[in-house]
Amino acid sequence: MGDREPNKKRLLELLRAPDTGNAYCADCGAADPDWASYKLGIFICLNCCGVHRNFPDISRVKSVRLDFWDDSIVEFMTHNGNLRVKAKFEARVPAFYYIPQANDCLVLKEQWIRAKYERREFMADGETISLPGNREGFLWKRGRDNSQFLRRRFVLLAREGLLKYYTKEGGKNPKAVISIKDLNATFQTEKIGHPHGLQITYRRDGHIRNLFVYHESGKEIVDWFNALRAARLQYLKLAFPELPESEQREPFKKRWFALDCHERRLLYYKNPLDAFEQGQVFLGNKEQGYEVYEDLPKGIRGNRWKAGLTIVTPERRYVLTCPNEKEQQEWLESLRGVLSSPLTLLNRLNGVLLFRPGGRNGWVWRFIPVIPALWEAEAGGSLEDRSSRPAWPIW
């Protein structure tokens, strides 16, 4: 039997216990999890709890605060906990495999959870996981001139660093041949209108081209996503052989950044005197899901500059590093000022960009993600630029 109040108190103490990892969801990293899998011994968030309910033979869930907890189950949770269980089920996660974050779409979380606990793909005693290599299959692709999705054959050639797709199932001539080095991918489920919707972006003839695809199977579309990441990692190993694998994932590029506070735009350039920006990021406000954080996401390090910051938008994360802490704090102050201010009607209309005085500029290293979210796939900066999720990019 159990004593409700003492056991609830013990569980809440376990959530706050140091060196356990229990303060964050064991699967997506969301803060303050309120649920637990008492069969696995982990604390999880509400969203991940919904996935765990789908395989009761492997995981059983309870609310930390609302459900009754037997003494023996509380004891089991005490002897396990998030870090211990993660060490078992995440012992050998490949470098290319995207680990979803709290704001990522459901299909990424679902397949990550199933891969860990149901298929047990990453346990230390499992089979060695190699790069996926070539891949071929059918995806539903949105037509360029209409909203109709048509079945198209896609072929990934990892060694050659190419992705091709064909309009005819047995066709020999591809409709497009895309270089992996120019390719990025993010899950855009709301934009595409499908829970497995993936946006593939690449550059062609000086323009950005988007492909919107999906597959009925969540596992299939996530396998495609990770196969693209693996191909990108293979390309980076060849292009940057001097970098350790952890840094080959998402190299930083130095960019000149300019912040237009009035128009709420962060623009970035290859050189300070360039006539046109390479890209821009619209900055909404906190109520819309825009945030800026000091430092870099876990597992990412700046190549040259170590003072980092991360800009979070509803669609992705931008990972940047500054030359020193003084510059970092000045950027943080300016960006937070924009995010905390209300949007004007002009901002909401999102009209023509007029660059006005008032703002900030300077060099930043920007992190360029491998395909995206992850970490975010379209980033910028002369902060050190390394873009990363998933909403979420391949890297």
Side-chain angles (χ1 to χ4, degrees), residues 40-213:
L40 292 170
I42 55 175
F43 293 92
I44 54 179
C45 69
L46 177 61
N47 287 332
C48 291
C49 168
V51 179
H52 280 257
R53 288 185 186 276
N54 292 329
F55 42 96
D57 291 342
I58 298 170
S59 180
R60 297 286 182 90
V61 297
K62 281 178 177 284
S63 168
V64 171
R65 301 174 187 274
L66 302 178
D67 287 329
F68 175 80
W69 287 79
D70 189 87
D71 293 344
S72 62
I73 300 178
V74 175
E75 199 65 30
F76 177 76
M77 297 296 298
T78 303
H79 285 93
N80 285 277
N82 288 5
L83 288 185
R84 287 183 180 178
V85 176
K86 284 164 71 72
K88 174 184 177 181
F89 287 98
E90 299 179 24
R92 297 184 309 115
V93 180
F96 63 82
Y97 197 98
Y98 182 75
I99 299 176
Q101 307 297 304
N103 293 327
D104 281 333
C105 60
L106 180 61
V107 68
L108 278 171
K109 295 179 183 178
E110 179 184 23
Q111 292 306 314
W112 165 240
I113 291 170
R114 288 190 176 278
K116 280 203 297 183
Y117 308 119
E118 191 175 52
R119 300 192 293 269
R120 300 192 169 204
E121 294 180 7
F122 313 124
M123 295 182 66
D125 56 356
E127 296 181 3
T128 301
I129 302 174
S130 58
L131 291 173
N134 296 345
R135 186 176 186 85
E136 181 174 347
F138 290 93
L139 299 174
W140 290 94
K141 175 189 169 293
R142 186 179 186 272
R144 181 175 179 178
D145 300 320
N146 57 51
S147 59
Q148 184 178 6
F149 281 84
L150 301 172
R151 194 166 181 258
R152 296 291 184 247
R153 181 165 65 97
F154 281 77
V155 177
L156 174 63
L157 303 174
R159 184 179 296 274
E160 292 85 350
L162 298 174
L163 175 67
K164 303 178 181 181
Y165 80 88
Y166 300 78
T167 55
K168 297 181 180 180
E169 292 191 10
K172 295 183 178 180
N173 297 318
K175 176 68 174 179
V177 179
I178 307 165
S179 173
I180 286 295
K181 70 181 181 65
D182 298 323
L183 181 149
N184 192 34
T186 60
F187 277 93
Q188 298 286 355
T189 57
E190 292 186 8
K191 179 192 292 187
I192 295 172
H194 194 280
H196 304 159
L198 184 70
Q199 176 178 328
I200 298 173
T201 304
Y202 64 98
R203 187 179 296 275
R204 186 178 70 182
D205 300 329
H207 299 282
I208 298 298
R209 176 85 165 90
N210 292 317
L211 302 179
F212 301 103
V213 301

Side-chain angles (χ1 to χ4, degrees), residues 302-320:
N303 292 343
R304 297 176 178 84
W305 299 343
K306 308 302 181 185
L309 60 91
T310 303
I311 300 171
V312 179
T313 74
E315 293 188 344
R316 55 159 302 169
R317 281 186 289 186
Y318 299 86
V319 181
L320 311 168

